[in-house]
Amino acid sequence: MSLALYRKYRPSVFADVIGQEHVTVPLSNALESGRTHHAYLFSGPRGCGKTSSARIMARSLNCVNGPTPNPCGECQSCKDLVANGPGSLDVIELDAATHGLVDDARDLRDKAFFAPVQSRYKIYIIDEAHQLGPGAANALLKVVEEPPPHVIFIFATTEPDKLIATIRSRTHHYPFRLVPPGILAAHLEKICNLEGVSVAKGVIPLVVRASGGSVRDALSVLGQLLAGAGKDGVSYEIAIQLLGFTDGALLDDAIDAIAAHDGATLFKTIDRVIESGHDPRRFTSDMLERIRDLMIVDALKDSASNAILRDIPDDQMERMRNQANRIGTANLSRAADIAAEGLTQMRGATAPRLMLELICGRILLPIGDNGESGMLSRIERLERAENIAPMSSAAVSSPARTAEPKETTGSAHATGEINSSKVEEAPTPVKEKESAPAHVPGNFDIAALRRAWPDVIEDVKKRRRLTWSLLSASAQVLAVDDKAITIGIVNAGARDSFVRSESDEILRKAFVDVVGIDRKIECVVDPSIDTNTPAARETRTSEAPTDKTLLTGAALLAQELGAKIIESK
Ligand SMILES: [Zn+2]
């Protein structure tokens, strides 16, 4: 392959420019009717055909039969100005990025007044026109304001707003756009046919997505794929590897894990993403796109989503329908928010892998804090307040208070009432808990610590969000003794971040504050943890301490209540 695809398939007439009909049709009409102008401005994103169109415009203007939208292709000018041709003395291309100097502009101004060598018009194509310095722009302005009849300017720029207004106002402005995926895909398929290389289903959409709507980028990527094609053409796997794209299987694994609230698998998948050399940012971006696709599938169901996501193979479509059903509308929307926000934060982040893990951790967090789990955690807070305070008559006489939440079980407002009643009675234990570590030595077994965990996490969140993010979805209490509390974190990456960021000190303080015991924090990797399955939550909340003397009357009642709520599920 000697010639890059984007050069090889560069158009020589407006009819072959793809995806810019809003520009090429009126330009062709102007050429047809002879209503041409002396200065044009072609603006738009890179790689969308601005420079190619400027050359086509020059060719159309200078054809012996011109101005015409259908240059003859036979005359000297047409031959000179064909794509990849030798060029014409009368069509002068300047790159303002390198010709931004005043002297060059003055030179251009002086030469512009000489008649064209052999063509109808002397045409200046000024690329990256926004980079013209003020001096150069002013030197040009004279010619643009009062051009000799044989001079035509075509300015091309990605940033039309930066072109000085006095020049811009004298141009006819044609905004180019990114090429829509369907049109770009059809174009790429045509080129694959012309090149005689077959590509597997799913490859073209990958190229289209990688290009972001730029024809030049798309052809550059496609050229690389075709160059590496085997006897059977370009396979999907090869495309994935060459493009550094997220393997669909990895993406499916991640989404499936989210659907199952399976933190262990999700973080293992991130491990695989990193190990196979994928860019965490790219993976996050792909994950966001997938969530978007799932939202479409979720909203439109069968046929309609087929029409919109028509480049997705049938089996993949089926898998996505399944995923959308399992995750549900509200969770999809929430996951999209989290992923989009995370992607923004990832720009310039020094630890993109950590960010990816945090994003996934947040997505896994149970939605909201209402319902039974919220109720249980509030009851536990009550219980804990009693645990921390020394056994007192207030604690023993608590049935009247705990009866209140029982009556109002299941109502969101009721949980608020419990909360407020807790707040009223809280001051005494809160004040005492500062000195609690000295007074309550080693009274907590692991079940009590696990029940306290959600509130410890809440307390951590107030202290430092990073620590909270590392713990909230992927950690739990493994062991406790006289010296230390051992925390298991689901993967090595999060564990290492935990240690490096000295999050152990944050967590230690949170334990002191919430449950009133002061222990060193040990942190180990425990990939078997799945803290988010309903079963795990249930175990955590219903596990009774082995030593019932630890429980106050209020705690016993609260635990009974919790068990009833679980039963009534
Ligand atoms: Zn011609």
Side-chain angles (χ1 to χ4, degrees):
M1 194 163 303
S2 53
L3 202 56
L5 287 183
Y6 77 85
R7 292 190 61 201
K8 186 172 177 182
Y9 291 98
R10 181 177 278 165
S12 292
V13 292
F14 277 133
D16 291 342
V17 176
I18 65 153
Q20 309 293 347
E21 288 75 12
H22 63 287
V23 163
T24 54
V25 169
L27 279 173
S28 296
N29 290 342
L31 286 163
E32 185 76 55
S33 62
R35 285 195 296 268
T36 55
H37 193 59
H38 73 277
Y40 293 90
L41 173 57
F42 292 176
S43 71
R46 58 185 292 274
C48 292
K50 297 186 300 294
T51 310
S52 294
S53 292
R55 291 172 184 158
I56 292 170
M57 191 67 186
R59 191 168 183 249
S60 304
L61 287 163
N62 273 351
C63 174
V64 290
N65 300 330
T68 169
N70 305 302
C72 71
E74 303 291 328
C75 70
Q76 192 58 45
S77 172
C78 278
K79 283 179 183 164
D80 288 344
L81 292 174
V82 73
N84 307 311
S88 159
L89 284 173
D90 294 319
V91 177
I92 300 110
E93 289 192 34
L94 295 173
D95 187 340
T98 52
H99 290 80
L101 297 172
V102 182
D103 287 348
D104 293 307
R106 287 200 183 123
D107 188 47
L108 185 159
R109 183 187 60 190
D110 296 342
K111 287 182 178 162
F113 288 94
F114 295 108
V117 180
Q118 56 191 18
S119 315
R120 187 173 302 112
Y121 295 109
K122 192 172 223 173
I123 298 165
Y124 291 96
I125 297 174
I126 300 179
D127 217 348
E128 309 286 348
H130 62 277
Q131 299 213 33
L132 283 172
N138 281 320
L140 274 186
L141 185 56
K142 281 270 182 242
V143 203
V144 178
E145 275 177 327
E146 294 174 51
H150 60 262
V151 167
I152 289 176
F153 284 98
I154 305 173
F155 297 95
T157 179
T158 50
E159 298 174 74
D161 296 343
K162 288 190 182 165
L163 185 63
I164 65 168
T166 37
I167 288 187
R168 200 174 64 226
S169 65
R170 286 175 169 81
T171 62
H172 284 182
H173 187 176
Y174 290 88
F176 287 62
R177 298 178 191 147
L178 289 172
V179 179
I183 292 172
L184 189 50
H187 184 59
L188 297 178
E189 269 161 27
K190 194 172 125 192
I191 287 177
C192 290
N193 286 338
L194 290 168
E195 293 290 313
V197 182
S198 69
V199 295
K201 190 166 185 180
V203 170
I204 297 289
L206 285 181
V207 177
V208 168
R209 285 193 174 187
S211 74
S214 156
V215 183
R216 190 196 305 157
D217 289 355
L219 291 185
S220 169
V221 167
L222 185 66
Q224 192 185 348
L225 285 178
L226 296 191
K231 273 186 303 202
D232 300 329
V234 181
S235 71
Y236 187 73
E237 288 71 25
I238 284 178
I240 291 278
Q241 283 164 16
L242 276 180
L243 293 179
F245 247 95
T246 303
D247 188 334
L250 282 175
L251 202 52
D252 278 330
D253 285 356
I255 299 290
D256 282 338
I258 288 170
H261 294 286
D262 179 355
T265 306
L266 184 54
F267 286 104
K268 270 182 211 155
T269 305
I270 296 174
D271 254 350
R272 281 165 56 213
V273 168
I274 306 298
E275 276 166 21
S276 55
H278 289 100
D279 176 5
R281 291 182 188 85
R282 183 123 220 177
F283 186 80
T284 308
S285 156
D286 289 345
M287 206 162 76
L288 182 57
E289 275 189 27
R290 168 64 68 84
I291 294 168
R292 190 270 323 261
D293 290 351
L294 291 178
M295 289 171 87
I296 292 173
V297 169
D298 182 60
L300 298 181
K301 308 303 173 202
D302 301 347
S303 55
S305 50
N306 272 343
I308 292 178
L309 305 171
R310 63 201 163 82
D311 289 329
I312 293 176
D314 295 342
D315 60 330
Q316 180 64 11
M317 201 67 188
E318 194 50 47
R319 202 173 300 129
M320 285 169 55
R321 263 188 212 110
N322 195 305
Q323 289 170 340
N325 283 341
R326 280 185 294 153
I327 298 176
T329 310
N331 273 319
L332 280 172
S333 162
R334 185 170 153 278
D337 288 347
I338 294 169
E341 192 194 327
L343 196 58
T344 311
Q345 291 170 350
M346 259 184 175
R347 291 205 189 103
T350 49
R353 177 205 174 121
L354 175 64
M355 289 298 299
L356 174 57
E357 286 168 345
L358 296 184
I359 289 166
C360 289
R362 283 180 197 137
I363 289 176
L364 281 177
L365 281 177
I367 203 160
D369 190 29
N370 301 318
E372 288 153 6
S373 64
M375 169 75 93
L376 281 174
S377 70
R378 286 185 176 94
I379 291 170
E380 284 161 10
R381 225 172 283 147
L382 261 178
E383 168 195 339
R384 207 155 28 248
E386 303 294 358
N387 255 344
I388 289 161
M391 264 287 215
S392 66
S393 57
V396 175
S397 67
S398 62
R401 286 201 310 266
T402 48
E404 187 189 348
K406 200 169 189 175
E407 283 164 11
T408 51
T409 297
S411 147
H413 295 294
T415 57
E417 284 169 25
I418 297 170
N419 218 7
S420 60
S421 72
K422 183 228 160 189
V423 169
E424 283 162 22
E425 71 211 29
T428 313
V430 165
K431 270 181 191 163
E432 287 184 13
K433 80 184 168 188
E434 284 165 12
S435 55
H439 296 305
V440 191
N443 264 1
F444 279 83
D445 65 2
I446 190 159
L449 281 185
R450 280 184 180 153
R451 281 199 311 279
W453 184 243
D455 293 303
V456 173
I457 293 290
E458 274 304 301
D459 191 79
V460 163
K461 187 177 180 181
K462 285 178 217 140
R463 292 169 187 274
R464 199 203 276 170
R465 260 190 113 77
L466 169 67
T467 305
W468 169 75
S469 303
L470 290 168
L471 295 174
S472 59
S474 55
Q476 70 175 20
V477 181
L478 289 186
V480 58
D481 59 24
D482 288 346
K483 296 191 181 71
I485 296 170
T486 306
I487 303 298
I489 293 190
V490 78
N491 74 338
R495 196 273 317 266
D496 293 347
S497 305
F498 183 86
V499 174
R500 265 201 310 278
S501 59
E502 297 182 346
S503 288
D504 55 341
E505 184 58 17
I506 302 287
L507 184 56
R508 186 189 67 80
K509 284 180 182 159
F511 270 116
V512 171
D513 214 23
V514 176
V515 292
I517 69 166
D518 192 351
R519 296 283 189 285
K520 188 173 184 291
I521 304 296
E522 305 279 12
C523 185
V524 300
V525 176
D526 183 357
S528 68
I529 299 172
D530 178 5
T531 55
N532 284 288
T533 61
R537 263 181 255 136
E538 194 161 313
T539 308
R540 212 154 63 219
T541 50
S542 62
E543 211 167 43
T546 46
D547 186 356
K548 286 201 172 182
T549 60
L550 289 179
L551 293 173
T552 64
L556 276 169
L557 273 171
Q559 197 176 31
E560 271 176 39
L561 192 55
K564 281 197 180 124
I565 291 168
I566 289 165
E567 276 166 25
S568 69
K569 263 211 298 216

